[in-house]
């Protein structure tokens, strides 16, 4: 009976193999660089892996090249194909010959060409008596060609009923959120989501592909460690020694953030940060958890990035694109980005993403560095790698190149001995003298692949087997662009730091972080005054003094300005608490006060937060969780980092009864009543204001009477920009404050700064001109001086446009 059962099982297996059917693979752009370097080899590897397993294949190389030239090119490429080391030379030659027989070149341009291809495939199937399993179209072409090709495939070259279609797309998938959405919509009109496979070749790199299996196989050891309580930071790095020469037309359009960080490094970040599904083999579960990780990414600010450009880049652009001699590119070739996640697992943990060209080495890695809270009584010389908790504790997914030279997974021996699949990963042999991340290789449990595989070979196999989790869905793609586009827009006119390239970079590109801000460790001298000689330092100049609106104005450098303003706010708070037992601070929203919030959160540990009441000067009529909400900005940059009693935080009631700023809900009156009940004489101790480019302050806008006069303390107003509906403190309430500071940041406000300096008291035209505390003298000044009771302080950006003279020390 057992023998009969085994025979039946074998027969069923053979029948299943026979029924698997025929697969046609069409490589579009078959004569291009990507196809030549990787894709033909990847297709050959697929054939090596699948031959004899029940499928038959045909490979069609297609391009716009003439038939003769295309055939010659393909023949040359096929001759160079290689086999893995474990395949005998004779067997390799035999399989390469079979692959060559199955491969052909054809010219594809018109819908008739695609119809002819489909008929040829059908004729081949009929002639050989084969069932069609499916067709794979690999788009190794520029995105501008996608629409025409997609239309032709959809109308003329789809497989018949019962067979699947898989369309493989190469990046770039758009330039920003809008263009990505347009491209996705266009492709979605021809293909179903399940038919599209967007390639990010980093997901095929063996160390990256091992992240989720590693987390799954070591779930027991990692469950207690993989979180904000134990992880100190995560570094995701891709460094290149080559520059952009020969590719400047592409690089000028995309730059390093769009080329590497928005896709490769962000995809890796989601693999590290996502919640681990119960079943990591489920593509649907993996993609769903990745999307949740995308949605937990905290929005980026301009201060979250540092940018660089190697010195020869602009000259390369001028030469390759025939730009005029005076052309200087602003395209970054280096970027460091600080990312945070808004979820319980990773709250407060910095994820550092960095990539650049013309750097000192070629290497890629993901490094998870764990906190070290141990103290070891013995001398450091007696510390043992697998026992001492004082040694660094880290897990590294080494993507490739660098000193190690190959993919690897490294785990500090004082963490745990990891479990990896023994059939595909092996322990790395000892290499005396090799140090990685500050420790000898012997301090790690180190594993490398049994057989190294090219990323494209891995991904082509996953396409064939329908493994969607190794590819980018439309939803995940758009979520990534939602995250990156605002930062890219804000950096569009930023001047990157120049660096010489290679080992000469020294420490010029080193950066450090504080809160949500990233900055270069080494301050580069800025050329403030045109002319010969070396660039001056900030310390080479005296504080700029002048008159502003007939009152003293003192301007300072931005970093100094923020630091001094924060010091003065703390001093004012301490005095208020000493005198009255509490401090009432009203804060504006927007981007200008963000550096101040972060300065207060990270540098002022003597601030009397426990006795401070925080109020909002104005609010957008959106839910408080909305990224547009001023309260959300205050929460992200200040509240979550300091200990203010929750009952001392007073958000504006813009969202009542599931409505936003409805007059009948009387939200403005509620806020006014709360102020009257808690703030003596409704006089805040300090109000921080900004100034818009139209002269508005708080949410009091020109040509709008709401809130400029009268007895109302809090009003509903309308902004000319979205979201239009706002709630704001009124000008009379603001002018009751003991102190008012007006913080103006940004070069774009130069014109309004100069204009307001010349106007009188015209709040209906320029609401900022109506700021005049009723109990004191109007003084526009730099926060180098301490606040005086009842004055207004105007905090200017180091603006030479306001002050026409500079005194050199």
């Amino acid at each position: 009976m057992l023998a009969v059962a085994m025979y039946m099982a074998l027969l069923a297996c053979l029948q299943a193999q026979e029924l698997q059917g025929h697969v046609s693979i069409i490589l579009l752009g078959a004569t291009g660089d990507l196809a030549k370097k990787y894709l033909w080899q990847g297709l050959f590897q697929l054939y090596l892996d699948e031959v004899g397993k029940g499928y038959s294949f045909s490979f069609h190389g297609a391009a716009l090249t003439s038939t003769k030239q295309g055939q010659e090119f393909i023949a040359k490429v096929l001759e160079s194909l290689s086999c893995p080391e474990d395949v005998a030379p004779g067997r390799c030659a035999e399989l390469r010959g079979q692959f060559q027989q199955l491969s052909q070149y054809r010219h594809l341009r018109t819908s008739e060409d695609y119809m002819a291809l489909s008929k040829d495939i059908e004729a081949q199937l009929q002639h050989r008596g084969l069932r069609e399993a499916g067709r794979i179209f690999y788009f190794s072409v520029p995105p501008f060609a996608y629409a025409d090709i997609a239309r032709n495939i959809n109308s003329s070259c789809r497989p018949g009923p019962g067979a699947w279609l898989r369309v493989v797309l190469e990046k770039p998938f758009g330039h920003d959120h809008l263009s990505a959405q347009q491209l996705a919509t266009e492709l979605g009109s021809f293909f179903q989501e399940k038919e599209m496979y967007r390639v990010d070749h980093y997901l095929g790199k063996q160390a990256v592909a091992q992240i989720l299996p590693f987390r799954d196989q070591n779930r027991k050891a990692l469950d207690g460690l993989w979180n904000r309580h134990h992880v100190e930071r995560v570094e995701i790095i891709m460094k290149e020694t080559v520059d952009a020469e020969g590719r400047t037309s592409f690089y000028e359009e995309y730059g390093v953030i769009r080329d590497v960080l928005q896709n490769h490094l962000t995809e890796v970040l989601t693999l590290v940060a996502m919640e681990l599904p119960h079943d990591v083999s489920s593509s649907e579960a993996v993609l769903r958890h990745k999307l949740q990780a995308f949605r937990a990414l905290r929005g980026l600010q301009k201060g979250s990035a540092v940018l660089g450009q190697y010195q020869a880049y602009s000259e390369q652009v001028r030469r390759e694109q025939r730009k005029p001699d005076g052309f200087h590119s602003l395209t970054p070739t280096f970027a460091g980005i600080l990312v945070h996640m808004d979820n319980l697992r990773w709250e407060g943990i910095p994820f550092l993403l960095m990539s650049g060209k013309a750097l000192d080495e070629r290497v890629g890695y993901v490094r998870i560095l764990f906190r070290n809270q141990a103290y070891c009584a013995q001398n450091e010389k007696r510390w043992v790698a697998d026992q001492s908790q004082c040694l660094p504790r880290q897990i590294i997914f080494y993507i490739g190149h660098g000193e190690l030279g190959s993919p690897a997974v490294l785990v500090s021996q004082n963490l745990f001995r990891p479990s990896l699949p023994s059939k595909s990963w092996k322990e790395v042999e000892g290499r005396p003298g090799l140090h990685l991340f500050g420790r000898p290789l012997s301090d790690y449990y180190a594993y490398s692949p049994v057989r190294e595989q090219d990323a494209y070979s891995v991904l082509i196999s996953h396409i064939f087997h329908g493994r969607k989790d190794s590819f980018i869905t439309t939803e995940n793609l758009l979520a990534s662009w939602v995250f990156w586009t605002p930062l890219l827009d804000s950096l569009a006119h930023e001047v990157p730091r120049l660096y010489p390239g290679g080992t000469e970079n020294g420490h010029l590109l080193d950066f450090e972080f504080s809160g949500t801000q990233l900055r270069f460790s080494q301050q580069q001298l800025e050329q403030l005054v045109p002319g010969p000689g070396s660039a001056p330092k900030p310390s080479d100049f005296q504080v700029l003094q002048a008159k502003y609106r007939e009152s003293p104005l003192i301007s300072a450098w931005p970093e100094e300005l923020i630091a001094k303003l924060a010091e003065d706010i703390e001093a004012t708070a301490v005095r208020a608490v000493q005198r009255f037992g509490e401090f009432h601070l009203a804060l504006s929203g927007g981007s200008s006060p963000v550096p101040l919030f972060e300065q207060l959160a990270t540098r002022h540990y003597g601030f009397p937060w426990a006795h401070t009441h925080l109020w909002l000067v104005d609010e957008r009529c959106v839910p408080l969780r909305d990224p547009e909400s001023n309260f959300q900005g205050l929460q992200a940059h200040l509240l979550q980092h300091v200990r203010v009693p929750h009952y001392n935080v007073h958000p504006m009631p813009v969202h009542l009864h599931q409505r936003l700023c409805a007059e009948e809900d009387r939200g403005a009156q509620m806020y006014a009543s709360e102020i009257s009940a808690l703030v003596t004489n409704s006089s805040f101790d300090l109000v921080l204001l900004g100034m818009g480019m139209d002269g508005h302050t708080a949410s009091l806008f020109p040509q709008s009477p709401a809130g400029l006069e009268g007895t109302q303390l809090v009003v509903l107003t309308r902004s000319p920009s979205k979201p239009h509906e706002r709630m704001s403190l009124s000008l009379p309430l603001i002018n009751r404050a003991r102190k008012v500071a007006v913080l103006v940041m940004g070069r774009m406000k130069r014109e309004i700064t100069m204009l307001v300096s010349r106007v009188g008291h015209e709040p209906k035209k320029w609401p900022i001109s109506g700021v005049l505390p009723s109990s004191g003298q109007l003084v526009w000044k730099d926060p180098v001086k301490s606040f005086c009771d009842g004055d207004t302080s105007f905090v200017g950006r180091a603006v030479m446009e306001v002050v026409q003279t500079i005194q050199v020390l």
Side-chain angles (χ1 to χ4, degrees):
M1 289 295 292
L2 178 62
V4 172
M6 289 178 63
Y7 172 77
M8 294 300 293
L10 179 61
L11 181 62
C13 181
L14 292 171
Q15 287 175 337
Q17 287 186 2
E18 289 173 5
L19 293 173
Q20 306 236 19
H22 183 82
V23 177
S24 306
I25 302 178
I26 300 93
L27 176 55
L28 299 150
T31 58
D33 286 343
L34 182 65
K36 180 181 178 182
K37 289 180 182 177
Y38 300 110
L39 300 183
W40 279 110
Q41 180 64 49
L43 293 175
F44 180 47
Q45 185 62 51
L46 175 69
Y47 181 71
L48 296 179
D49 293 340
E50 300 299 329
V51 66
K53 294 183 179 179
Y55 285 101
S56 60
F57 292 91
S58 58
F59 301 91
H60 306 264
L64 301 180
T65 309
S66 69
T67 302
K68 183 180 179 183
Q69 286 180 314
Q71 287 172 339
E72 291 172 354
F73 178 91
I74 298 298
K76 190 174 181 180
V77 171
L78 297 185
E79 282 295 332
S80 67
L81 298 176
S82 60
C83 297
E85 292 180 0
D86 57 356
V87 178
R91 176 62 175 161
C92 181
E94 178 187 351
L95 291 169
R96 185 168 54 240
Q98 293 174 9
F99 185 76
Q100 289 170 326
Q101 290 295 317
L102 296 171
S103 303
Q104 57 177 288
Y105 176 82
R106 63 191 307 139
H107 181 83
L108 276 184
R109 179 188 292 271
T110 65
S111 59
E112 289 77 17
D113 294 333
Y114 283 86
M115 194 175 295
L117 169 62
S118 187
K119 287 181 178 179
D120 287 351
I121 292 172
E122 290 165 7
Q124 181 185 18
L125 293 169
Q126 189 172 5
H127 176 71
R128 295 172 58 189
L130 299 172
R131 181 188 66 83
E132 184 167 27
R135 299 179 189 180
I136 297 173
F137 286 85
Y138 200 118
F139 285 43
S140 180
V141 296
F144 66 77
Y146 283 3
D148 285 342
I149 294 172
R151 186 178 295 105
N152 287 328
I153 293 171
N154 186 54
S155 64
S156 308
C157 211
R158 276 186 170 274
W164 45 256
L165 172 67
R166 290 173 191 154
V167 174
V168 188
L169 306 163
E170 280 282 349
K171 78 176 185 75
F173 309 119
H175 186 265
D176 54 18
H177 181 250
L178 178 61
S179 59
Q181 198 165 38
Q182 289 171 340
L183 181 59
T185 300
E186 195 165 29
L187 290 170
S189 67
F190 302 115
F191 305 124
Q192 299 174 47
E193 180 64 33
K194 67 179 182 180
E195 295 174 333
M196 290 186 282
Y197 289 70
R198 290 183 185 85
V199 168
D200 185 323
H201 78 275
Y202 243 57
L203 294 177
K205 290 185 175 290
Q206 287 173 286
V208 173
Q210 187 58 30
I211 293 174
L212 283 187
F214 176 88
R215 290 180 59 190
D216 182 49
Q217 290 156 16
N218 298 278
R219 199 185 284 257
K220 186 176 180 180
L222 290 173
D223 266 353
L225 292 172
W226 208 260
N227 56 62
R228 61 191 167 98
H229 301 297
H230 295 279
V231 173
E232 180 180 313
R233 70 186 194 210
V234 178
E235 300 169 1
I236 305 173
I237 309 298
M238 191 187 100
K239 297 169 65 177
E240 296 182 274
T241 54
V242 298
D243 60 21
E245 189 169 17
R247 295 183 68 228
T248 60
S249 59
F250 170 83
Y251 224 74
E252 268 299 275
E253 186 176 357
Y254 289 93
V256 67
I257 296 178
R258 290 180 173 91
D259 186 37
V260 178
L261 283 86
Q262 178 273 326
N263 37 69
H264 303 327
L265 302 195
T266 308
E267 284 293 321
V268 173
L269 185 156
T270 62
L271 295 176
V272 173
M274 65 185 273
E275 292 300 308
L276 196 61
H278 293 298
D279 180 9
V280 296
S281 65
S282 165
S283 293
E284 184 181 340
V286 168
L287 292 170
R288 185 172 63 252
H289 283 71
K290 279 182 72 173
L291 182 60
Q292 291 170 0
F294 273 119
R295 289 174 174 168
L297 292 170
R298 184 187 301 168
L300 295 170
Q301 306 287 336
K302 189 188 293 186
S304 306
V306 291
L307 305 177
Q309 183 192 96
Y310 64 83
Q311 288 175 347
Y313 179 75
S314 283
E315 171 56 35
Q316 290 172 347
V317 175
R318 289 193 291 269
R319 184 175 64 251
E320 292 180 17
Q321 300 188 46
R322 299 181 181 179
K323 298 284 186 181
D325 291 343
F327 174 81
H328 290 279
S329 173
L330 294 179
T331 301
T333 61
F334 168 91
I337 308 290
L338 176 61
V339 177
H340 284 91
M341 307 285 292
D342 279 330
N343 60 28
L344 283 175
R345 182 179 294 277
W346 297 112
E347 184 180 1
I349 302 304
F351 286 75
L352 294 170
L353 278 57
M354 188 272 277
S355 184
K357 289 189 173 293
L359 300 181
D360 62 317
E361 64 174 336
R362 183 186 183 190
V363 69
Y365 61 84
V366 184
R367 181 187 183 214
I368 299 97
L369 183 64
F370 292 86
R371 299 183 194 277
N372 197 328
Q373 297 172 322
Y375 172 78
C376 296
Q378 280 193 311
N379 184 285
E380 183 179 348
K381 295 177 182 177
R382 295 185 175 87
W383 293 355
V384 180
D386 62 348
Q387 296 175 14
S388 174
Q389 292 302 305
C390 288
L391 291 170
R393 304 189 304 160
Q394 46 197 338
I395 295 174
I396 297 125
F397 297 95
Y398 202 87
I399 297 169
H401 306 291
E403 292 186 65
L404 196 55
S406 62
V409 176
L410 310 173
V411 179
S412 295
Q413 291 190 9
N414 58 357
L415 270 173
F416 61 90
R417 177 180 283 277
S419 172
L420 281 90
S422 57
K423 290 184 178 179
S424 52
W425 290 81
K426 63 181 180 181
E427 289 201 52
V428 174
E429 296 177 5
R431 291 170 61 177
L434 177 61
H435 282 64
L436 295 169
F437 305 97
R439 302 304 306 168
L441 183 62
S442 58
D443 274 14
Y444 300 98
Y445 295 116
Y447 299 83
S448 63
V450 171
R451 188 181 84 182
E452 283 192 44
Q453 285 184 282
D454 168 71
Y456 281 98
S457 297
V458 172
L459 291 177
I460 287 171
S461 175
H462 289 184
I463 294 162
F464 176 75
H465 290 287
R467 281 190 50 184
K468 288 280 287 183
D469 54 303
S470 299
F471 301 90
I472 303 166
T473 64
T474 300
E475 212 169 11
N476 285 358
L477 171 69
L478 296 180
S480 178
W481 276 119
V482 164
F483 174 66
W484 284 103
T485 298
L487 177 71
L488 289 163
D489 290 344
S490 72
L491 296 174
H493 302 293
E494 287 296 299
V495 179
R497 169 173 289 196
L498 293 178
Y499 59 96
T503 55
E504 294 180 27
N505 293 335
H507 296 289
L508 196 59
L509 297 177
D510 294 353
F511 54 83
E512 55 194 58
F513 57 90
S514 175
T516 61
Q517 298 289 295
L518 206 59
R519 60 179 174 271
F520 284 116
S521 303
Q522 202 175 85
Q523 292 303 306
Q524 192 175 36
L525 303 182
E526 304 289 347
Q527 185 70 36
L528 296 177
V529 181
S534 60
K537 303 175 186 177
S539 58
D540 292 335
F541 298 93
Q542 290 182 341
V543 172
L544 308 180
Q545 301 191 19
K547 290 280 186 178
Y548 190 84
R549 293 180 57 80
E550 302 303 318
S551 302
L553 163 69
I554 305 172
S555 297
W557 289 77
E559 295 82 3
E560 261 181 45
L561 180 150
I562 292 298
K564 293 296 183 183
L565 177 57
E567 285 178 17
D568 285 335
I569 293 175
E570 180 177 356
T572 305
V574 169
R575 286 198 300 270
V577 171
Q578 288 172 347
R579 291 179 63 187
F580 309 114
E582 57 188 14
F583 174 56
H584 288 273
L585 174 62
L587 297 169
S588 289
S591 59
S592 291
V594 167
L596 174 65
F597 295 165
E598 293 180 341
Q599 183 84 10
L600 288 170
T602 59
R603 302 289 179 88
H604 291 266
Y605 298 105
F607 201 103
W609 293 115
H611 303 282
T612 297
H613 285 258
L614 291 175
W615 303 82
L616 286 180
V617 168
D618 64 329
E619 180 59 282
R620 298 173 171 93
C621 293
V622 295
L624 295 185
R625 290 181 176 274
D626 193 293
E628 294 274 3
S629 165
N630 288 343
F631 179 78
Q632 185 61 234
L634 186 65
Q635 163 68 17
H637 300 291
L638 181 61
L639 291 179
Q640 69 172 342
H641 305 294
V642 297
R643 293 184 177 180
V644 180
H646 69 273
Y647 43 79
N648 283 6
V649 179
H650 308 281
M652 283 186 157
V654 293
H655 196 188
L656 298 170
H657 307 120
Q658 299 183 344
R659 297 182 294 197
L660 293 168
C661 292
E663 291 219 20
E664 53 269 36
D665 292 335
R666 298 179 58 81
Q669 291 86 338
M670 286 174 59
Y671 206 55
S673 297
E674 191 175 4
I675 292 169
S676 298
L678 297 175
V679 183
T680 304
N681 298 323
S682 298
S683 297
F684 293 108
D685 295 299
L686 191 147
V687 174
L688 177 68
L689 298 176
M691 179 171 70
M693 288 186 288
D694 58 356
H696 83 264
T697 191
S699 280
L700 305 173
F701 297 94
Q703 310 303 328
S704 174
L708 299 179
E709 54 190 11
T711 59
Q712 282 187 276
L713 302 184
V714 184
V715 294
L716 294 177
T717 66
R718 186 168 176 81
S719 165
S721 58
K722 291 182 178 180
H724 298 298
E725 304 302 321
R726 308 288 177 94
M727 186 179 290
S728 178
L729 303 187
S730 69
L731 202 53
L733 178 58
I734 290 169
N735 284 334
R736 288 191 196 182
R738 292 188 175 92
K739 303 178 181 73
V740 178
V742 182
L743 178 61
V744 181
M745 301 286 282
R747 298 173 187 172
M748 301 296 288
K749 295 179 182 174
R750 172 178 180 268
E751 289 186 14
I752 189 62
T753 303
M754 295 183 70
L755 178 61
V756 170
S757 71
R758 298 191 292 266
V759 304
H761 182 79
E762 300 182 64
K764 290 187 178 179
K765 280 189 176 181
W766 324 105
I768 189 68
S769 71
V771 176
L772 179 61
S774 55
S775 62
Q777 178 189 9
L778 173 60
V779 180
W780 302 84
K781 67 177 186 178
D782 184 293
V784 169
K785 302 294 184 183
S786 60
F787 291 112
C788 300
D789 281 348
D791 74 0
T792 299
S793 300
F794 182 85
V795 184
R797 194 183 188 283
V799 282
M800 288 172 51
E801 54 264 28
V802 174
V803 182
Q804 300 301 318
T805 60
I806 283 185
Q807 292 177 300
V808 180
L809 291 172

